[in-house]
Amino acid sequence: MFEGLEDSDLSKVSQVTKERFCPKGTVLFKEGDIGDAFYLLKEGKVEVLKKDGDAEKVIKTLSHTDKDSFFGEMALVGGAPRNATLRTAVDSTVMVIAKGDFDMMLRLNSFIALRIMTALSSRFRAAAPETPAETKLGKLVVAFSPKSGAGKSVFAANLAAGLAKMGQAKALLVDLDLQFGDLAFMLDLHPKRTIADLVENPTDKPEVLKEYLVDHKSGFSVLAAPKKPEQSEMINSSHLRAFVELARKHFDYIILDTHSFFQDLTINAMDMADAIFLLMLPNMNHIKSMHQCLKVMENLKYPPDKIKLVLNREGAQYSRSLEEIETAMKRKADFTLKDSWKQISELIEHQKTVFEQDASCDYAAGMVRIMEFLTGKKFAKDTKKTWLGNLFGG
Ligand SMILES: Nc1ncnc2c1ncn2[C@@H]1O[C@H](COP(=O)(O)OP(=O)(O)OP(=O)(O)O)[C@@H](O)[C@H]1O
Ligand SMILES: [Mg+2]
């Protein structure tokens, strides 16, 4: 699973890996236990067992020569309960990475993190249950950028507002910028509860979920970021997956605002997403980082049409032109949002969305095009007036 890692990265992985000899019949972990380590089979054979009534049944035997002979990856990304028991079928040697050591390694080297997340996410995808065709589920939209300050939060908040106000859709805006998210403040909302309270009291009931949301006057709901940065540690990808699954049944659109860092939560969000909007500013730093970010998206094997490149603040002073950017990026921008410094500054100052403040500004026009793409509806007024219309003020 570590293919693609450089030798120097592999040596860092090996520093946190402990080799363990396990005689035949050793139980490495039990179904239902909270995972705290990840295992790679170096030599030997293991059995995967699942509960079947009071007994346990062997559902699979894997040997070290099998490509997917690694186990317990969910423990590394989310501390989720083990979904099966693992027992050695013959005398075997396993490599063990404890969650604490793994976290430390990832903090020190985000490139290794990315490679590992790539391997894990393709396995999650393969294991994901199919959704029955008849269930109507809301669309999950992720706003991401490899650089901070690209305009993700303004974008996410205004998209939720536009979808609710113009699109008459049930929209939920989620602040996944868990340490310093400020969507509630931006929108002049005063949530009693946040995502941290929700994960402390998980629910599968929509009426309970509503108690954790705060409603905006434009008609959308917000799940706010934790009140204290340290609470961000409480939220893992299993919480996110469970929450999104529930929210999808009750909202037409769930819009996730993120922070500019690839970590398991963001990758899980992107895995589940129907559309990922990658925001960038028209300058060289953003071009460079977006280039790398698009490469990661390619490695994650996302279908190209799931990824939408958004050039924000187009036309800002001293910025690169759309043509220059597209040439440097070797791809077209899917959407552009004009630099609207005055309007956006006013929005921030008055804690409003563009659809309350100035729905006719250039920024709103760009958002409308994005909403049209997401909903398949037409919202923009036809600007080509007929001579009759002009004559009679139509
Ligand atoms: N199209 C635009 N025109 C002018 N200013 C903009 C535009 N979009 C965003 N801004 C400004 O850029 C700044 C950053 O926006 P925002 O907070 O949405 O970025 P972000 O990507 O969420 O940042 P962070 O990574 O810190 O969360 C804000 O001050 C906002 O007013
Ligand atoms: Mg933000």
Side-chain angles (χ1 to χ4, degrees):
M1 74 172 277
F2 295 116
E3 71 193 42
L5 285 187
E6 306 276 325
D7 284 350
S8 59
D9 296 331
L10 276 174
S11 91
K12 288 195 187 88
V13 176
S14 69
Q15 280 166 21
V16 296
T17 310
K18 297 193 176 68
E19 191 170 310
R20 194 169 131 198
F21 174 73
C22 303
K24 178 181 172 186
T26 308
V27 173
L28 293 164
F29 53 77
K30 277 196 89 62
E31 184 174 349
D33 287 354
I34 292 294
D36 57 0
F38 166 76
Y39 299 85
L40 261 161
L41 185 59
K42 186 179 176 198
E43 188 81 58
K45 254 190 201 145
V46 290
E47 292 169 330
V48 181
L49 299 101
K50 288 278 281 178
K51 282 198 185 112
D52 185 13
D54 287 340
E56 273 188 324
K57 224 163 97 182
V58 176
I59 54 160
K60 196 160 41 165
T61 304
L62 285 164
S63 106
H64 67 271
T65 49
D66 292 323
K67 206 168 178 282
D68 55 348
S69 55
F70 58 92
F71 312 93
E73 62 274 20
M74 283 303 275
L76 294 186
V77 294
R82 304 289 193 193
N83 61 6
T85 296
L86 194 70
R87 185 173 69 195
T88 50
V90 297
D91 289 353
S92 305
T93 306
V94 292
M95 309 300 288
V96 189
I97 305 181
K99 174 151 174 55
D101 295 339
F102 184 74
D103 287 347
M104 184 64 78
M105 179 181 74
L106 296 195
R107 278 197 191 118
L108 296 176
N109 192 320
S110 56
F111 184 71
I112 300 183
L114 266 180
R115 290 286 190 195
I116 294 174
M117 293 309 164
T118 306
L120 297 185
S121 86
S122 51
R123 180 139 137 178
F124 292 149
R125 238 189 319 257
E130 288 289 320
T131 312
E134 68 274 13
T135 339
K136 185 187 162 286
L137 292 175
K139 276 189 183 167
L140 182 69
V141 175
V142 173
F144 182 76
S145 169
K147 280 267 183 266
S148 72
K152 300 177 291 294
S153 301
V154 172
F155 170 86
N158 283 285
L159 184 58
L163 287 168
K165 229 177 151 144
M166 293 177 83
Q168 304 291 307
K170 281 180 81 180
L172 170 63
L173 175 65
V174 182
D175 199 339
L176 266 198
D177 185 352
L178 295 176
Q179 291 204 347
F180 296 105
D182 48 9
L183 282 177
F185 181 75
M186 261 176 70
L187 294 162
D188 195 18
L189 294 171
H190 306 275
K192 287 198 186 68
R193 294 172 176 181
T194 72
I195 190 167
D197 303 300
L198 176 64
V199 304
E200 270 192 325
N201 308 285
T203 181
D204 56 2
K205 297 194 178 60
E207 60 282 7
V208 180
L209 172 66
K210 285 196 109 191
E211 293 172 15
Y212 293 86
L213 310 178
V214 53
D215 291 332
H216 187 268
K217 52 182 175 297
S218 301
F220 63 98
S221 305
V222 177
L223 180 61
K227 292 194 173 150
K228 298 182 198 147
E230 59 270 28
Q231 289 176 305
S232 66
E233 302 269 312
M234 295 162 58
I235 298 126
N236 65 37
S237 38
S238 329
H239 295 131
L240 177 72
R241 283 183 172 264
F243 159 73
V244 167
E245 209 174 295
L246 176 64
R248 275 187 135 146
K249 293 181 192 152
H250 305 283
F251 288 92
D252 302 316
Y253 296 93
I254 303 148
I255 298 137
L256 303 184
D257 182 22
T258 60
H259 75 148
S260 298
F261 188 67
F262 276 120
Q263 32 116 259
D264 60 291
L265 210 66
T266 334
I267 304 246
N268 270 273
M270 291 190 192
D271 268 3
M272 288 184 282
D274 297 284
I276 304 167
F277 287 90
L278 294 178
L279 279 91
M280 67 179 288
L281 299 183
N283 66 47
M284 283 318 280
N285 288 347
H286 279 248
I287 292 175
K288 182 185 162 289
S289 302
M290 187 55 81
H291 215 272
Q292 291 171 319
C293 176
L294 287 166
K295 275 259 168 305
V296 172
M297 301 280 129
E298 220 177 280
N299 288 341
L300 287 167
K301 307 237 169 7
Y302 291 149
D305 62 352
K306 173 164 160 171
I307 293 148
K308 301 291 165 199
L309 183 63
V310 182
L311 175 64
N312 189 20
R313 305 196 65 171
E314 192 211 349
Q317 220 181 354
Y318 308 118
S319 70
R320 303 278 167 162
S321 70
L322 176 63
E323 291 70 33
E324 279 178 293
I325 285 165
E326 291 184 336
T327 308
M329 303 285 300
K330 297 196 184 73
R331 71 163 278 168
K332 292 255 173 226
D334 295 287
F335 298 99
T336 53
L337 293 167
K338 292 270 185 231
D339 182 57
S340 310
W341 186 82
K342 189 170 170 294
Q343 287 91 344
I344 303 281
S345 304
E346 270 174 20
L347 291 187
I348 307 274
E349 197 54 38
H350 297 119
Q351 296 171 291
K352 286 212 158 72
T353 68
V354 72
F355 297 100
E356 298 161 86
Q357 185 86 3
D358 182 4
S360 62
C361 75
D362 286 344
Y363 188 81
M367 290 304 299
V368 164
R369 280 191 291 278
I370 291 171
M371 281 155 48
E372 289 181 338
F373 157 74
L374 281 173
T375 59
K377 292 183 188 162
K378 188 123 184 70
F379 301 116
K381 291 200 190 88
D382 199 349
T383 48
K384 278 187 245 140
K385 289 188 176 176
T386 62
W387 67 270
L388 261 178
N390 279 338
L391 200 61
F392 298 110

